Amino acid sequence: MEYAIGIDLGGTSIKYALVSKAGDLLFEGRLPSFANVSAAKVIEQLTKAATMLKDEAIKQNLTVLGIGLGTPGIVDESNRIVLGGAENIVGWENIDVASLLEKQMNLPVVVGNDASLMGLGEMKYGSGRGYTHVVFLTVGTGIGGVVFIDGKPFNGYANRGMELGHVPLIANGERCACGAVGCLEHYASTSALVRRFSALAKERHLSFDSEINGELIVRLYHENFPTAVECMNEHFYYLGRGIAGFVNMFSPQRVVIGGGIAESGTFYLENIRKVVRENAIADCAVNTEIVAASLGNKAGLIGAASLIL
Ligand code: BGC
C-alpha cells in the first residue's frame, strides 16, 4: 500500500504521520520543533520525524512515495523555498528546506504554507468537503489561511498571498511580529488572547495555579471569571470583524475555523457568528455558514501528504 509522509511544522511542535490516499494515518506523532533555537535545529527535527516514519514503513513493507511539508511563512512553491514571514521560527528565511530534506531522506519533497495545506486537508477530508467557495482560517500562535474559489486554492500571483492573519485591522494599533501595525493576528490569535489576559492579570494582581494558556482562559470564561470574559469578548470581536471582512470579500459558502481554540465548543462559534452577523454586509453573508474545522491538528499533515498522493 502507498503512503506519503505528512509533516506539519509549527512554532512549538512538529506533527507527523504516514498518510494513505484515503486520508488514514499511521505512526502519528509529535516532536518539539525547537523553533526558538535555530533553523538548523528545526531541520534536524524534521529529518528525525521523517526518518522514524520511513523506518517504520520499511519494517511494515509499505511504500513511501514522498514527503509533504507544511510550514508557516510565504513559500515559493515552484522553487520550493521558504522566503520568510514565519516570525515564530528563528532564521526561517530563504531556506531551501525541500532540497535539504530530499538529500537527507532520499525521497521527493513538496513544501507549502501550513495554513494553506490545513485548508486543503479540510477541503478533501473535513469541513470543506463538498463545497467550492470556502475561507479557511487557523487561529493559534499565528493566524493563517487560504481561500478556495471554484474548488481551487487561491494563493495570489506567484503564490505570495493569502496572509489572512496580516490584514491590518486596527489603525494606530500595536506592532505585529511581521513589522506592520494592527494586524488581525496580533489582536485575534490565541497568543494575543494569552498576552492580553496575562497583562490584565498582572495589572489586577491575579495569580493562577496553572500556566496561562488558551485552555485556562476558556475554562475561566465558562466560570464567568470577569477578566476571562472580558478577554474572550475582545477576542470574539477582533476575530469576528476580521472574518466579516473576508465574508464581504469572498462571500463564501463556509468559513472553516481551525486551531485548538476553535474546537473549544459551540459557544465559541456562536460568539464569532454573532460578531460576523453584526459586521458583514447581510447580502454578502447570506450563503455563509461559520463552522469549526473537523480534522483537528491533523489537517496540516494530511493536506501536506495529499500534495504527494
Ligand atoms: C504566518 C503564516 C502562517 C500562520 C500560521 C502566520 O504568522 O505569517 O504564514 O500560515 O502564522 O502558522
Side-chain angles (χ1 to χ4, degrees):
M1 186 141 170
E2 290 178 333
Y3 284 83
I5 291 177
I7 304 183
D8 182 14
L9 166 63
T12 316
S13 63
I14 287 170
K15 287 156 222 126
Y16 58 83
L18 280 181
V19 184
S20 74
K21 270 199 182 120
D24 298 320
L25 307 189
L26 284 182
F27 312 117
E28 198 186 326
R30 196 191 260 259
L31 280 177
S33 56
F34 296 131
N36 54 350
V37 180
S38 66
K41 193 73 194 162
V42 172
I43 289 169
E44 202 180 296
Q45 293 298 89
L46 291 173
T47 311
K48 197 165 162 184
T51 308
M52 284 193 303
L53 292 174
K54 194 177 164 186
D55 290 350
E56 285 297 342
I58 291 170
K59 268 193 231 157
Q60 312 274 333
N61 261 326
L62 307 173
T63 309
V64 178
L65 300 174
I67 302 172
L69 168 68
T71 162
I74 296 176
V75 180
D76 175 343
E77 276 181 359
S78 32
N79 297 311
R80 305 183 314 162
I81 289 174
V82 185
L83 298 169
E87 319 304 333
N88 302 318
I89 307 181
V90 172
W92 208 240
E93 242 178 285
N94 293 318
I95 298 262
D96 188 355
V97 61
S99 302
L100 290 167
L101 265 184
E102 255 166 22
K103 247 181 246 153
Q104 306 260 13
M105 299 303 307
N106 214 8
L107 282 170
V109 177
V110 183
V111 58
N113 170 269
D114 58 349
S116 203
L117 296 179
M118 289 171 202
L120 195 65
E122 287 291 335
M123 286 299 276
K124 287 200 168 164
Y125 306 103
S127 298
R129 209 169 163 174
Y131 296 86
T132 52
H133 291 68
V134 173
V135 171
F136 173 81
L137 267 191
T138 173
V139 181
T141 317
I143 292 185
V146 60
V147 176
F148 292 85
I149 299 173
D150 287 330
K152 292 191 206 88
F154 175 77
N155 282 315
Y157 180 69
N159 206 52
R160 307 275 174 125
M162 280 304 132
E163 283 291 346
L164 299 186
H166 298 282
V167 169
L169 184 73
I170 308 288
N172 305 318
E174 290 172 16
R175 198 164 287 283
C176 175
C178 76
V181 162
C183 292
L184 175 64
E185 166 174 309
H186 188 83
Y187 284 85
S189 59
T190 311
S191 7
L193 173 69
V194 170
R195 190 181 61 241
R196 176 80 175 129
F197 183 88
S198 307
L200 288 181
K202 194 168 168 209
E203 221 174 274
R204 295 171 186 176
H205 309 289
L206 307 170
S207 61
F208 305 94
D209 295 338
S210 54
E211 185 203 344
I212 298 180
N213 55 25
E215 243 175 271
L216 174 76
I217 302 170
V218 167
R219 180 163 61 74
L220 293 174
Y221 171 84
H222 286 307
E223 289 166 12
N224 270 327
F225 185 79
T227 306
V229 173
E230 184 180 338
C231 291
M232 285 301 289
N233 285 339
E234 279 179 13
H235 172 82
F236 296 138
Y237 182 67
Y238 291 134
L239 187 59
R241 279 181 61 87
I243 293 176
F246 301 138
V247 168
N248 287 351
M249 259 182 261
F250 300 106
S251 191
Q253 296 162 290
R254 282 197 150 187
V255 175
V256 177
I257 314 178
I261 195 152
E263 285 162 32
S264 55
T266 47
F267 81 97
Y268 186 88
L269 290 170
E270 275 157 17
N271 278 283
I272 297 288
R273 285 181 193 130
K274 181 168 174 287
V275 180
V276 174
R277 241 191 338 265
E278 286 164 1
N279 287 277
I281 296 172
D283 284 333
C284 300
V286 70
N287 297 308
T288 305
E289 250 183 310
I290 299 176
V291 299
S294 57
L295 302 179
N297 62 14
K298 297 175 189 99
L301 69 89
I302 294 178
S306 79
L307 295 179
I308 295 279
L309 298 164

